[in-house]
Amino acid sequence: MLSRRHLFSFAAASLLAGAAPKRGMIVRSSRAEDVEMPLEGFLESYITPIDRFFVRSHHYVPAVDLAAWRLQVNGKVGTPISLTMDELKKLPRVELVSVLECAGNGRGLYEPSMAGLQWTYGSVGNGRWAGARLADVLKKAGVQPGAVEVLFDGADVPVGKQPEFQRGIPFNKAMDPNTLLAYEMNGEALPKEHGFPLRVIAPGWAGDCWVKWVTRIEVRDTESDGFFMKTAYRHPGKGVAPGTAVDPAQMKPVTTLGIKSVIASHLDGQDIPLTATKLRGAAWSNESPVSIVEVSTDSGRTWRQARLGKEAARFGWRQWELDWTPPQAAYYSVMARAKNALGETQPMQPEWNPSGYGHNVVQVVRLNATATPKPARAPANANAGEVPAVVKQTCFGCHGVEAIEQQRMNRTQWEREVEKMQRWGARVTPENKDALVDYLANRYPYRPRK
Ligand SMILES: Nc1nc2c(c(=O)[nH]1)N[C@H]1C(S)=C(S)[C@@H](COP(=O)(O)O)O[C@H]1N2
Ligand SMILES: [Mo]
């Protein structure tokens, strides 16, 4: 059954649906909205326009009335405070460019696959953000000694019985002068789907701590243990043998981004003519900026430095390009590898981890140079087909079929997923459970991506 607060937030989400139309995005989920930027988005402009900026929302977009909206600051502070937007805007306004990337970007590229949105390259964007320093807001409330974490809560409410989305960052990161509470994105008021009226900007850190629709900030002297801190967004800190389970005690919260580059000008497997071509893409890093991007057109044997775009910012991405003429008709493996100012670079082998975070293996694009190239075709979004009534009735209450059809899982994984949905409120009965799992495992089985 859908709870009343769930029905309310769904109604609010529908009212807002007309907000800002996105352009040509890959839909990973239509409600809650999760949309990915297609590859060409990396090349269009240095700043990712709002209509091309990916969206990742665990819950539906909340309706926020700015007149009634307040930012609460409490916990280990001298005086708990409550600020209006006007009061917040009286603090010094800081503007910066930063990449925002979902920790799960590239999850869909891991083998073997795991449950979760099957993002490929585009759950990332380069935004221009403006707002107040989080440190200035915390200073207003006066922080007590012993603070270790700052936890953020947004106005969004969970779907079904899923736990609330709350994420915290270590106190040091919270006090960093580049950590902001932003009310503007790309020179406009923060759009609804990106957190209107206020969100966290944590440059160099994964998107999960960029909490949207912020209404409450809690200064803590212990690490919080909510679902999204203790269970989700955890990583073993290194790659593990693909497909293996990791003891939860070994898992740590996701923090900084990895260094990464994307080849956006060409599609894997496409034909190219024997004439000059431009290899193009974008590269980004964590708190240390990208220093060089190297490109190999011979499977990693030799590397050449790409030309970096003029526009740069400490936390922004760098667009890059390299002119190349295939020396002869052949099959080429083209790769791009970024390095940052600390000398960190990307791995040549994927660093598999149970939830598929931090995908930053060197990308390989196979190009067939030929005198008679056939036009490139974007990968089809496989789908459609009649869905049995039991699935429609049990599974489409909280989200659409897109959340389901992109998964690539074996029967055991599907069974676990159905049990998770049951805990989150899906009405799976002992009688229909097997039929559901059978259908899902047959219809959306484990399969390699290509
Ligand atoms: N309140 C709230 N904040 C949130 C989320 C959410 O579901 N609820 N999703 C987080 C995740 S996982 C990511 S990757 C970013 C995505 O930001 P965007 O939708 O503006 O691109 O928002 C983060 N902030
Ligand atoms: Mo994310």
Side-chain angles (χ1 to χ4, degrees):
M1 264 281 85
L2 306 180
S3 69
R4 280 188 57 205
R5 76 176 174 167
H6 168 234
L7 284 177
F8 167 75
S9 65
F10 184 44
S14 337
L15 285 176
L16 295 171
K22 295 272 168 178
R23 178 164 50 95
M25 304 291 277
I26 305 163
V27 178
R28 299 289 172 205
S29 171
S30 53
R31 65 180 165 95
E33 188 183 15
D34 298 300
V35 296
E36 171 169 352
M37 178 184 76
L39 280 178
E40 58 269 23
F42 287 102
L43 308 176
E44 277 176 16
S45 51
Y46 174 66
I47 296 293
T48 310
I50 287 167
D51 65 358
R52 281 293 209 181
F53 213 101
F54 87 99
V55 177
R56 171 62 174 125
S57 297
H58 288 274
H59 315 326
Y60 305 142
V61 172
V64 175
D65 169 12
L66 196 52
W69 179 90
R70 293 290 181 281
L71 175 64
Q72 314 281 343
V73 185
N74 56 26
K76 296 284 153 193
V77 293
T79 342
I81 54 170
S82 164
L83 301 176
T84 64
M85 185 53 78
D86 285 345
E87 288 167 332
L88 193 74
K89 286 188 171 170
K90 291 203 178 97
L91 292 169
R93 178 181 177 282
V94 180
E95 187 177 298
L96 58 80
V97 169
S98 177
V99 161
L100 162 54
E101 184 185 21
C102 180
N105 195 20
R107 177 183 295 119
L109 304 170
Y110 277 112
E111 298 293 349
S113 54
M114 63 288 285
L117 298 174
Q118 299 294 297
W119 305 109
T120 57
Y121 298 101
S123 60
V124 60
N126 194 39
R128 186 183 302 280
W129 314 96
R133 287 195 178 93
L134 174 58
D136 288 345
V137 171
L138 294 179
K139 277 175 208 152
K140 250 178 139 37
V143 173
Q144 290 182 3
V148 298
E149 185 186 276
V150 175
L151 183 72
F152 307 100
D153 191 7
D156 48 342
V157 292
V159 178
K161 295 184 210 155
Q162 192 189 29
E164 255 213 276
F165 187 83
Q166 294 184 340
R167 287 283 299 173
I169 55 176
F171 185 65
N172 284 347
K173 181 67 178 171
M175 296 305 284
D176 187 303
N178 295 304
T179 300
L180 309 182
L181 291 167
Y183 38 73
E184 283 173 30
M185 173 180 188
N186 296 1
E188 296 177 27
L190 199 60
K192 293 186 173 69
E193 67 277 19
H194 295 291
F196 177 84
L198 193 72
R199 79 172 308 165
V200 176
I201 304 300
W205 285 46
D208 46 278
C209 55
W210 294 48
V211 177
K212 304 192 272 191
W213 310 295
V214 177
T215 49
R216 194 174 65 87
I217 299 176
E218 182 187 330
V219 179
R220 300 177 52 97
D221 57 5
T222 56
E223 281 170 25
S224 55
D225 61 358
F227 174 81
F228 286 95
M229 289 303 282
K230 204 179 156 189
T231 308
Y233 293 112
R234 292 218 151 209
H235 189 282
K238 57 176 172 23
V240 299
T244 53
V246 177
D247 175 2
Q250 301 304 311
M251 304 278 271
K252 294 176 271 299
V254 165
T255 57
T256 53
L257 293 175
I259 179 161
K260 181 160 172 180
S261 56
V262 166
I263 301 168
S265 53
H266 292 75
L267 293 174
D268 188 36
Q270 89 170 71
D271 284 359
I272 52 167
L274 296 166
T275 50
T277 188
K278 242 186 221 317
L279 301 167
R280 300 169 66 201
W284 62 96
S285 175
N286 38 43
E287 289 168 332
S288 161
V290 168
S291 53
I292 59 168
V293 176
E294 297 169 308
V295 175
S296 173
T297 51
D298 57 7
S299 308
R301 237 179 257 117
T302 62
W303 297 84
R304 272 194 296 158
Q305 226 167 294
R307 224 174 8 259
L308 297 183
K310 276 199 297 291
E311 288 173 286
R314 175 171 168 200
F315 302 110
W317 67 27
R318 241 17 227 281
Q319 292 174 302
W320 58 263
E321 59 176 45
L322 184 80
D323 297 312
W324 176 58
T325 306
Q328 62 188 70
Y331 224 161
Y332 296 90
S333 284
V334 174
M335 303 173 175
R337 180 174 72 183
K339 286 188 178 144
N340 68 14
L342 291 175
E344 293 171 319
T345 189
Q346 302 176 240
M348 291 298 291
Q349 290 300 320
E351 296 181 340
W352 194 94
N353 60 95
S355 301
Y357 295 131
H359 188 270
N360 72 334
V361 65
V362 168
Q363 181 192 358
V364 183
V365 172
R366 289 158 296 187
L367 299 179
N368 184 35
T370 161
T372 53
K374 289 185 210 67
R377 256 196 302 145
N381 252 343
N383 263 316
E386 203 31 53
V387 176
V390 60
V391 176
K392 282 188 191 154
Q393 282 155 14
T394 322
C395 304
F396 294 0
C398 304
H399 50 72
V401 71
E402 320 82 33
I404 295 173
E405 65 195 1
Q406 69 196 279
Q407 309 295 326
R408 308 173 292 130
M409 298 197 281
N410 62 33
R411 198 179 191 285
T412 313
Q413 289 174 301
W414 269 118
E415 188 166 20
R416 244 185 268 143
E417 189 68 10
V418 168
E419 287 164 2
K420 178 165 98 184
M421 293 306 136
Q422 205 170 2
R423 284 195 299 279
W424 286 357
R427 291 163 73 195
V428 180
T429 62
E431 295 77 55
N432 67 20
K433 183 179 167 194
D434 276 352
L436 275 167
V437 175
D438 283 342
Y439 170 79
L440 294 163
N442 285 319
R443 182 79 172 74
Y444 310 109
Y446 170 72
R447 60 214 181 266
R449 262 193 66 80
K450 292 195 183 91

